[in-house]
Amino acid sequence: MKHHISFTINGQSMELTVLSHQTLLEVIRNDLRLTGAKHGCSTGECGACSVIMNGEVVNACMVLAPEVDGTDILTVEGLSDGEELHPLQKSFIDHHGVQCGYCAPGMLISAKALLSRTSRPHEEEIREALVGNLCRCGAYADIIKSIQVASRARR
Amino acid sequence: METRDLKPFHYIRPESLQEAGRYLASEEAVKLLGGGNTLLLQIRSGQESPDILLDVKHLPGFGDVRYHHNQGLKLGAAVNLQHLVVGLEIRRHYPLLHQTAQKLASPQVRNRATIGGTLAWASPISELAAAMLCYDAVCHTWSPRGHREIPLAEFYLGDYQTALARDEIITHVHLPPFPNRTYGIYHRQTVRHDGRRMIAGAAVLAYRKQQALTHWRIAVLGMDNRPKRIPDAEAVLEGTPGEAEIARALEIVQEQIHPADVDYARADYRRASLNALLKQAITEVIHHLQSIRS
Ligand SMILES: Cc1cc2nc3c(=O)[nH]c(=O)nc-3n(C[C@H](O)[C@H](O)[C@H](O)COP(=O)(O)OP(=O)(O)OC[C@H]3O[C@@H](n4cnc5c(N)ncnc54)[C@H](O)[C@@H]3O)c2cc1C
Ligand code: FES
Ligand code: FES
């Protein structure tokens, strides 16, 4: 079954025709060619596909495309301001928050969702916010440090 | 991209219960869609192959949250689990619900998972069910035959079965009001930090009436084919429980559970784990309630 949906993604309005059984992840990667969000597990466990939907972090592999109608989506591509990287992105580069990088888009999105609620999170709050993001390289310590430094640097 | 593709189905967003009811009465295989955290996995694995998914998240009243000190708490079936973490009325009046939700899964899952879908999921390790059982929650449902109220204590039939009929929809859940001096604790042991692979889980709740501790609730997870309360053990704790009563309650719990061996923990280990978690939870509830000044 086809659905005509309209939504905003990274600040841009978008209209698309999607199928009932497509996921948000398929739409952003295949139709919109925004390949930042990654496919890891399709079971909601890894968080590599994390995006922000109406201000809240969700797994894009677990959202059906027709459910996206009328929502506001932010993917990792929407974090930077043109060529200017987001402070979180800079910090991930400076503090080695990226090893192979597969988890990084999801980690950045979860961190962004956290920082929009809590501007100076404790380490425990950062860990809680990342419970749904797995890093197969085990770079957690550097990821947490990157987020901590970025949150301190803000204002 | 090699995702495990979903088998085709029709996604439909009904505007009213009556409209949903018409689909449920049809010949097609219809499933209700909440947050999809369980259902989409079941479709991907081939366990379910619905023709139609009815998205019940937008039905009128399904997003409601209402608290009144005389009437208690009403949570619409489409309220998400993250609300239990952040909602002020939950933190203040139903702290065990808040505490349990905080441990449940991840922000990604909680932002999508609904009260209705989570209760209907009926897993023996459903952490929301444990907290809701302690608060005497009642499921309110609708079907083409009318409205029905099902106490959660009668809702889980075992082996993922619920008291819901095929065409019945949870509309909301109701929790009675509790006195200010109510306290609950939830402890669990899991292999993974996101709650997957549970070894044992125990929720305990009671309140203080003058010097007596009353209305004990003990709910255990992973010990049977459904989340369940152990009323015989609860009864032993009524009044001013001391070490002997705690020991007796723990003994009764052990007599009434049937944990299975799982690939990550043997049954006897799960028993021992539950015993330790439960003892700790009961002791903490007693200490907390006794430390409140009268
Ligand atoms: C990665 C991951 C980690 C998890 N960790 C935990 C954990 O730590 N602890 C824990 O307890 N659980 C955990 N879970 C399970 C999770 O809590 C459930 O998958 C989720 O809460 C189900 O809710 P939902 O709204 O997504 O349901 P859905 O998947 O949408 O639906 C589940 C079932 O309920 C039915 N249904 C939906 N709405 C209604 C309604 N209104 N009336 C009647 N039936 C309805 C559906 O048809 C379906 O059969 C985890 C799940 C995932 C994916
Ligand atoms: S791909 Fe979505 S959670 Fe792993
Ligand atoms: S850096 Fe490789 S998965 Fe995290």
Side-chain angles (χ1 to χ4, degrees), chain A residues 2-23:
Chain A
K2 285 186 179 167
H3 306 264
H4 196 67
I5 61 171
S6 52
F7 58 105
T8 17
I9 182 155
N10 303 332
Q12 263 190 303
S13 335
M14 190 70 67
E15 292 199 14
L16 278 182
T17 302
V18 297
L19 297 170
S20 287
H21 61 285
Q22 273 184 296
T23 64

Side-chain angles (χ1 to χ4, degrees), chain A residues 25 38-49 59-62:
Chain A
L25 183 62
K38 298 286 181 275
H39 168 239
C41 64
S42 288
T43 60
E45 283 180 83
C46 77
C49 64
N59 291 318
C61 71
M62 304 293 273

Side-chain angles (χ1 to χ4, degrees), chain A residues 1 20 41 50 57 61 67, chain B residues 4 9-11 44 57 111:
Chain A
M1 180 167 163
S20 287
C41 64
S50 299
V57 57
C61 71
E67 296 185 85
Chain B
R4 263 169 276 160
F9 48 73
H10 299 296
Y11 167 93
R44 285 195 169 111
K57 291 192 290 296
N111 281 330

Side-chain angles (χ1 to χ4, degrees), chain B:
Chain B
M1 181 178 50
E2 7 125 30
T3 54
R4 263 169 276 160
D5 286 333
L6 289 163
K7 213 175 123 290
F9 48 73
H10 299 296
Y11 167 93
I12 289 166
R13 191 184 278 191
E15 310 259 319
S16 66
L17 285 167
Q18 288 68 24
E19 185 189 348
R22 284 195 291 278
Y23 285 106
L24 286 165
S26 72
E27 294 291 299
E28 315 247 34
V30 180
K31 290 297 283 185
L32 305 177
L33 173 69
N37 291 290
T38 293
L39 188 54
L40 296 188
L41 292 191
Q42 291 172 333
I43 297 173
R44 285 195 169 111
S45 71
Q47 211 180 319
E48 294 283 353
S49 38
D51 302 313
I52 294 176
L53 287 198
L54 283 186
D55 185 351
V56 294
K57 291 192 290 296
H58 305 270
L59 286 169
F62 273 48
D64 288 359
V65 178
R66 278 201 211 119
Y67 176 76
H68 186 275
H69 63 279
N70 282 333
Q71 276 145 33
L73 178 69
K74 173 190 166 176
L75 289 169
V79 172
N80 70 23
L81 298 188
Q82 187 65 11
H83 183 79
L84 303 182
V85 178
V86 298
L88 277 182
E89 66 287 75
I90 312 289
R91 298 176 81 125
R92 198 169 296 154
H93 304 291
Y94 299 91
L96 178 61
L97 214 50
H98 163 77
Q99 201 191 106
T100 307
Q102 214 171 17
K103 292 183 183 165
L104 199 154
S106 60
Q108 286 92 329
V109 171
R110 289 197 301 265
N111 281 330
R112 294 278 296 162
T114 62
I115 298 280
T118 309
L119 290 177
W121 169 50
S123 162
I125 57 166
S126 170
E127 303 187 285
L128 181 68
M132 289 278 187
L133 280 168
C134 288
Y135 283 122
D136 300 338
V138 177
C139 271
H140 290 241
T141 70
W142 180 91
S143 76
R145 294 170 300 288
H147 291 274
R148 191 155 81 109
E149 295 180 14
I150 315 170
L152 204 62
E154 296 162 21
F155 186 78
Y156 296 115
L157 308 179
D159 299 324
Y160 292 85
Q161 301 303 306
T162 67
L164 291 174
R166 204 189 63 88
D167 56 354
E168 198 165 6
I169 303 175
I170 300 174
T171 56
H172 61 278
V173 54
H174 179 260
L175 281 63
F178 279 79
N180 283 337
R181 293 170 183 177
T182 304
Y183 192 66
I185 287 278
Y186 172 62
H187 285 312
R188 70 177 192 192
Q189 189 187 0
T190 57
V191 176
R192 281 262 307 272
H193 190 54
D194 73 358
R196 287 270 170 118
R197 302 189 156 239
M198 179 177 288
I199 294 162
V204 174
L205 182 115
Y207 61 72
R208 184 166 139 190
K209 205 169 167 186
Q210 275 116 31
Q211 296 312 312
L213 307 188
T214 185
H215 191 275
W216 280 91
R217 293 289 181 264
I218 295 176
V220 299
L221 293 177
M223 295 296 127
D224 263 284
N225 63 0
R226 61 193 169 97
K228 74 170 192 182
R229 272 178 50 198
I230 317 277
D232 293 342
E234 295 166 356
V236 174
L237 297 173
E238 284 291 311
T240 45
E243 276 185 26
E245 287 77 23
I246 299 175
R248 181 69 195 124
L250 292 172
E251 214 172 85
I252 294 172
V253 170
Q254 289 292 322
E255 286 161 16
Q256 299 191 8
I257 58 175
H258 315 87
D261 286 333
V262 280
D263 56 7
Y264 50 88
R266 283 207 339 239
D268 53 355
Y269 178 67
R270 302 182 80 187
R271 276 183 181 275
S273 168
L274 180 78
N275 203 63
L277 298 173
L278 200 50
K279 185 171 181 182
Q280 190 183 345
I282 295 172
T283 312
E284 285 169 1
V285 169
I286 294 174
H287 283 167
H288 181 91
L289 289 176
Q290 288 181 339
S291 70
I292 302 174
R293 286 206 210 133
S294 27

Side-chain angles (χ1 to χ4, degrees), chain A residues 83-98:
Chain A
E83 293 293 297
E84 178 72 11
L85 292 181
H86 188 277
L88 278 166
Q89 291 172 309
K90 283 188 201 153
S91 192
F92 267 60
I93 296 171
D94 293 345
H95 301 280
H96 313 288
V98 180

